[in-house]
Amino acid sequence: MASRPLAPGRVMVPTKALSFRPARLGAQAPMPVIIRSASHVTRRPRIAICRADAAVGENPFTQPRPVQGLPATLFGLPVAGVYALGAALAAALGFGGWSLAARLLPESLRSVGRLVAAAIGAALAAAVTSRLLTLRRSAAVAQLHNLLVSLPRASDLTRDQVAALEAQAGAPLAAIDPEAVKSLYGTFIEATIPAGDAPLRGDEHTRISAFKQTLGLDDEAAGPVHVDVGRRILRGRLEAGSRREDAFQKLIYVSYLVFAERSYLTPWARAFGLTDAQVYVARRDNARALFQAALAARGGVLVPTQEALTSLREVKESVRLADEEAEGVVREAARATLQGFFDRALSVVKRRARQRDLAEAVAELRGAVEFNRALARLAGAPGVVPGVGPTSVAGSEWAAAEGRGRDLRDLFRTFVEEGLARDGAYGAAETRDAADLRSALGLGPKEAAGVEEEVKERVYRRRLREEVTSGRLDAAPSPAAVLGDLVERVGFDPGAAAALHAGLYRQKLAALLEKRALSDADAGELDRLQRLLCVPAADRDALHAELAGGIYSQTLDKALAAGAEGFGLRERGAVREARRDLRLDLSVARRLLAAAGRRHLLQFITNARKTKSRVDGAKELKRMVLFSSVVLAPLVDDLRSPEERTAAREAEERERRVQEMVAKMQRDKAEEARRQAVAAGGEKTAEEGVVDVEAAEVKTPGDEPEKAADAGMEEAVAAEKAEPVVAEATESTADGAPSSLKKAQAAADSRKAGEKVGDQIVYAQKDITLADDLDLRDRLDVYRNFLLYCMTGDVSSGPMGVTMVIERDESEFARLAQLGDVLGLTQVEVATVHSDLAEQAFKSQVQQVMGEGALTPDRLAGLEAVRQRMGLPKETADKVLKGFQNQKLIAGMQAAKAQGQLTLPFLLELKEAGVDVASLTSADLRLQLYRQEAIARLTDGTGEFATDRIVEELPAALGIEVGKARKLVQELARDRRRTTLVQAVSFLRQKKYDDTVKALNNLLAVEKAAPSDAPLSWSPAEELADLYSLYVSKESAEEKRAGVQVCLGLADGDAAGLRAVVEAGNFKLGQETESEAAFF
């Protein structure tokens, strides 16, 4: 194609190659070309030859570069012609120089001048030839540019066309003018990279790589061109005031594809100050965009076939997308495909029409299931794109839309319903399809199970109704088999089916009970329904107890609300008629009566606790007992069967016989004890069976002896101060039991035949109790409070503010026995309350007696008499006495401790009395007392040291470690060994011979406490002999003499000689002492 002509006489040549070296961002544009003419040269900016926003396929090279004049002529010549022209020029210039030198130079220099002139001419010819070659080659690059202008698309340039130009130029174009070729390459890159928001096509890197190879550029030369194009893109963005980096990021990504593993040739991070993360993001985003575009080109859906997924893997590898990024895109595509299935199904389900054909919706849902299953089969298959696997719409924006949860449940419900309607059964295949659809819809297991059970229940109800109304279920030999087959076909849960059957029976029963009675026809209808629905008898009874029992409970509450004052035959008859009309079982009626009765009894307990005085509380308890006898007892009796009445009478008879036998044994035992006492000569002495009198007397250091008062006077004072409770508790009984218990038992026995209340005879009942409603401690407290009321009597107010104690009524003890039955207390628990009260009374007596002074024998005898009258066991009385004695001992110890007079014997006395001295005294105090005792035993002058007692017994009694005590004793003994010997010698020198003997005894005790390996040394040794002689003269025990000999380190011979001198009366120190004593 011919180039466009320029104006006559104008030639366009580059004076300097376009600079494409790497430069800073914002560097100057390439240097403009210079346009030369025949007359003058002008300089003006070059018009850009490319546009970054050129459309795909548009040629960026639009302005030709004219080549005329000498460059065009030279480019038209072959290379040999240019060299021939240069040779001709060289010959002409050489000959001219030769001739000129011959004319101008003297004869003597003519030869040399001719040679020099010829050489200069040849050199000028060579330079001109080189310049001609340069002009010719520059014309070749211009011809390449013009060739690109002439092509429809720059990518149509072929390597053959470039090779032809290179052959004509005689050298590769990249070697002739590399900067110009790079400029062409850069222009092509700018035109190929889409500007702005225009997406990549995916073939940009292929076209750029092909153009690079066509131009003959290697990667090392092409890399800086990409970087410089990036600079121009950023410079244009800054000049336009835009902050979009789309084109620049696309350039980074396309360059990464062009250079592949040699991407280090485009150092974006170093050239533009980018981080590796930014470069990675640019590559990742553009690769993902191309991969998504490839998916969109396939319809935007994921085709679950091996071929389609393999082709997607090839696309993923071609765009160099990471596996984890490809997985995300593939999953999104799979989710979008799944959402398409559901959208189409929803459009059918929500279609407003009188008759909807849901088969199309079910087909779409089944397509979603099959789509997921295909993905599951292809997951992990070799060659497929990563990320293939079952998916779900859970967590997507589509699923998060308002009301979408209801839509998903509707789809699942439609699928299950249509499956049941189509197949008539719900087998393993349908269950598997529903499970896969649930997973695809993202429904929870419980949510989907609820929808599934709802559908199955509705279908099961419909088919069950058909079986019943058609009469097939009545005619079936086994209704259970029919129901089982129906449950199996529908896939309904057997437990849910049983609950449904029970619900239907309940519904029927509730409808029949609206008239508050069941007729024979009603009972027959219920029996038939129970047989058809196979309702278990236990469930039937529970339903009757719930529904009929509710009506019965209303009647009961109305009767019980009348109270003991208003309850009569009418209320009792109403309750009987209600049970009979409702056909309620006796066991159910008894259970309902017990529940209602306990509620009313608990209300009495609550009212009693709210009262402000014990008397008012006891009166409320009396009303509770009366309510139990007047109201509850007749109702309980009405609910007994004849067999139960007979069994109750037999049980009462057995209990009566047992009580008679026990009473007879107690009387016999008391009579035997009386005979033995008479045979022994009277009553027991006060000292028998009681604690030691001396042990009861506590003397603290510094206390003065207490004076004992007259025993008869003390007993009179004690009796005068006793409370009525004590008097009641101390009344004698024939069998030794507390009188209160005896009275309660007697009152209860006297009313076994019934008690007249008003016009009717009532009996106590033991069936309805509060044993399971109140804790044992609370029940015992209630019983104890009423017992105190029975023992003290009622209090009433008289005129002028006078309070009077009303005489106790023995009938209160009958109420007490009945209260124990209502509270559900056993005989042992009742006896414990009475015994505890008697014990409290005895404690009061002991406290009063001990407050008067020490426990004398007379006082102990009086307490023993009180114990016998109360019927307390001897062990209990001794325990009480010991407790008070310990308290007095502890008080004395604390007083002595406060005065600093606490001694070890007092602590040991407390220990023997059973007091835990370790918990009352500190470890330091006990160790100090022990140390004092050890020092006292080492310095008492007796020469005795009980090692077992001091080292073992005392530490155990004081709570001190034996090892620690032994170490302390040994330290004390070692510290006193030398000082004791010095003390003995000092006393000897002072002629204090008795003190000397005591000091030697102390030395002997030290040796026993801590035996030494070697005797003590002393100088002069004669003093040791005098010490031994003096000790022998004063001590006759051979064991002690031998011990002192060992302590002083005397040999056996020396000791024997000294003993002989003393026995012979020749020991002078002793004689002098005796004479002096006689003189004075």
Side-chain angles (χ1 to χ4, degrees), residues 84 97 109 192 308 421 445 469 478 552 656 658 661 671 673 705 710 808 894 976 1046 1054 1062 1064:
L109 299 176
T192 304
T469 56
S478 174
Y552 181 73
R656 185 185 62 79
V658 170
M661 293 174 60
E671 182 66 21
D710 182 73
R808 288 170 293 175
Q894 293 176 347
R976 280 165 173 72
V1046 173
D1054 297 339
V1062 172

Side-chain angles (χ1 to χ4, degrees), residues 977-996:
R977 179 175 284 109
R978 185 72 182 179
T979 57
T980 304
L981 178 60
V982 172
Q983 190 178 27
V985 173
S986 176
F987 285 146
L988 179 65
R989 292 175 180 177
Q990 298 176 33
K991 298 181 180 180
K992 297 179 179 180
Y993 302 130
D994 292 338
D995 294 336
T996 302

Side-chain angles (χ1 to χ4, degrees), residues 339 342-344 346-347 350 393-412 441 443 447:
Q339 291 173 2
F342 296 152
D343 281 331
R344 292 188 294 272
L346 274 175
S347 64
K350 293 184 176 181
V393 296
S396 64
E397 295 182 2
W398 184 86
E402 185 178 359
R404 190 67 72 190
R406 182 177 61 256
D407 294 341
L408 296 178
R409 290 191 294 273
D410 290 343
L411 290 177
F412 187 72
L441 291 171
L443 296 177
E447 187 178 15

Side-chain angles (χ1 to χ4, degrees), residues 41 500 504 579 618-619 686 809 969 1036:
V41 176
L500 176 61
L504 295 175
R579 188 194 69 80
K619 291 179 180 179
D809 187 359
V969 169
S1036 60

Side-chain angles (χ1 to χ4, degrees), residues 97-118:
W98 178 281
S99 300
L100 185 59
R103 289 196 306 267
L104 296 178
L105 294 176
E107 187 65 27
S108 58
L109 299 176
R110 189 171 295 171
S111 300
V112 177
R114 289 176 179 175
L115 295 175
V116 172

Side-chain angles (χ1 to χ4, degrees), residues 369 372-373 693 867 1044:
V369 171
N372 249 2
R373 289 177 178 173
V693 176
R867 182 195 70 79
V1044 171

